[in-house]
Amino acid sequence: MSENGVEHAHGIHVVHDGPRQAPPLVLIHGSGASGASWSPVVPALAGHHHVIRVDLPGCGQSPPSPSYDVPAQASGVAAVLDDLGLGHVTVVGHSSGGYVATALAEQRPDLVRSVALISCGPHPDALLSQPLILRILLGPPFGPLIWPRRSDAIVRKGIRATAARPVDVPDDAVADLKHISYHTFRTILRRNTEYIAERSVPDRLAALTVPVLVIFGTADPRWDPSSVRQYEAVPNARIELLSGVGHLPTFEVPEATSELLLSWTSRQRTLSIPPVVPDP
């Protein structure tokens, strides 16, 4: 993997990988995470794409923001892509990053070629009872007290609680997660819930014409895996299930996840090429 550059724009930390002339692929992380959460899949993706990883406001190395509303976050990502002169991008969102990807497609159909969602809960009703360590870290009375004192081991334990198999969590992903404040994390979670409670992700995507790929683990402990069927309401959506995989396909099965994404983007490029009409 070769890193082509790091920059800050519109309050967003941006990392570029892969050749700049390659088709653009935008990766958006989930709640409280950062662009580092994509590290296991970037080498494979950067071999075919100009990969753009963003740290959403208040996460990773991006500064806090006055608003964490999902549409506002999508507008910030759009501003970054406009500054880069990019168009017709494929946007991939993990977990709640899928909400930002969806909002971006809603706001800018001229910019978004296709959307891929990984472990993206469709509606609040699909949320399962969370692992004990997450309930302790995120809820009163212990959450506000423990959060500022989290060790690397505790952060890793919290991340691994959402996986269905052993995973290696990169050091930079741990470090970035420790940067986010308790208040900011809780605010982001509330705004994400408000977005999908107002209108489910499948309903939002069904109103658009953008092609959609949905990847879901059959052993996801955060979102009811059967809820992936709600995405069948999206015309021509492609649904891929990863057997025995939890909420973190990029960590649990990075090769399979990369292959699915590359197959999807390759197919979308092929479909977008106009047919050659022979001379009469």
Side-chain angles (χ1 to χ4, degrees):
M1 176 183 69
S2 61
E3 183 175 286
N4 288 341
V6 178
E7 60 184 317
H8 282 83
H10 302 279
I12 294 178
H13 177 78
V14 185
V15 177
H16 301 269
D17 295 278
R20 292 289 184 112
Q21 69 274 18
L25 184 66
V26 181
L27 306 181
I28 305 178
H29 62 80
S31 300
S34 71
S37 64
W38 296 99
S39 296
V41 298
V42 166
L45 299 180
H48 302 267
H49 289 276
H50 170 199
V51 177
I52 303 104
R53 288 183 280 169
V54 299
D55 287 357
L56 294 175
C59 300
Q61 299 181 54
S62 292
S65 170
S67 172
Y68 295 102
D69 290 346
V70 170
Q73 296 188 65
S75 294
V77 174
V80 169
L81 299 178
D82 285 341
D83 281 358
L84 293 171
L86 298 177
H88 303 293
V89 302
T90 292
V91 185
V92 186
H94 172 252
S95 193
S96 61
Y99 309 155
V100 178
T102 299
L104 182 60
E106 289 178 311
Q107 295 173 8
R108 296 291 303 276
D110 62 307
L111 179 63
V112 178
R113 176 201 297 270
S114 61
V115 173
L117 308 178
I118 302 174
S119 307
C120 184
H123 187 271
D125 290 347
L127 188 66
L128 300 173
S129 177
Q130 298 303 286
L132 177 61
I133 187 172
L134 296 185
R135 298 202 302 271
I136 293 174
L137 286 171
L138 294 174
F142 301 111
L145 300 174
I146 298 174
W147 193 268
R149 299 172 175 82
R150 291 168 299 153
S151 65
D152 288 5
I154 289 295
V155 171
R156 279 194 163 85
K157 186 174 182 181
I159 294 173
R160 288 168 175 160
T162 64
R165 57 182 71 189
V167 295
D168 292 324
V169 183
D171 291 342
D172 53 353
V174 174
D176 282 348
L177 188 53
K178 291 180 72 175
H179 287 165
I180 190 170
S181 71
Y182 179 81
H183 173 73
T184 297
F185 196 102
R186 288 288 304 231
T187 302
I188 290 172
L189 291 177
R190 285 196 297 271
R191 297 297 177 263
N192 289 337
T193 300
E194 290 168 1
Y195 179 75
I196 59 174
E198 178 184 45
R199 192 179 187 190
S200 74
V201 180
D203 283 350
R204 291 176 182 275
L205 292 172
L208 307 176
T209 58
V210 62
V212 178
L213 169 68
V214 180
I215 300 173
F216 224 92
T218 63
D220 192 321
R222 293 207 67 218
W223 296 95
D224 181 358
S226 68
S227 69
V228 73
R229 294 303 172 195
Q230 294 183 31
Y231 287 100
E232 293 175 350
V234 182
N236 300 317
R238 174 179 163 187
I239 298 173
E240 297 284 353
L241 298 177
L242 296 172
S243 180
V245 174
H247 190 65
L248 304 175
T250 55
F251 287 167
E252 298 177 61
V253 285
E255 296 86 0
T257 304
S258 300
E259 289 173 3
L260 287 174
L261 291 174
L262 290 174
S263 172
W264 172 253
T265 58
S266 176
R267 174 173 171 76
Q268 296 311 308
R269 290 199 303 275
T270 300
L271 292 175
S272 67
I273 298 175
V276 177
V277 179
D279 294 331

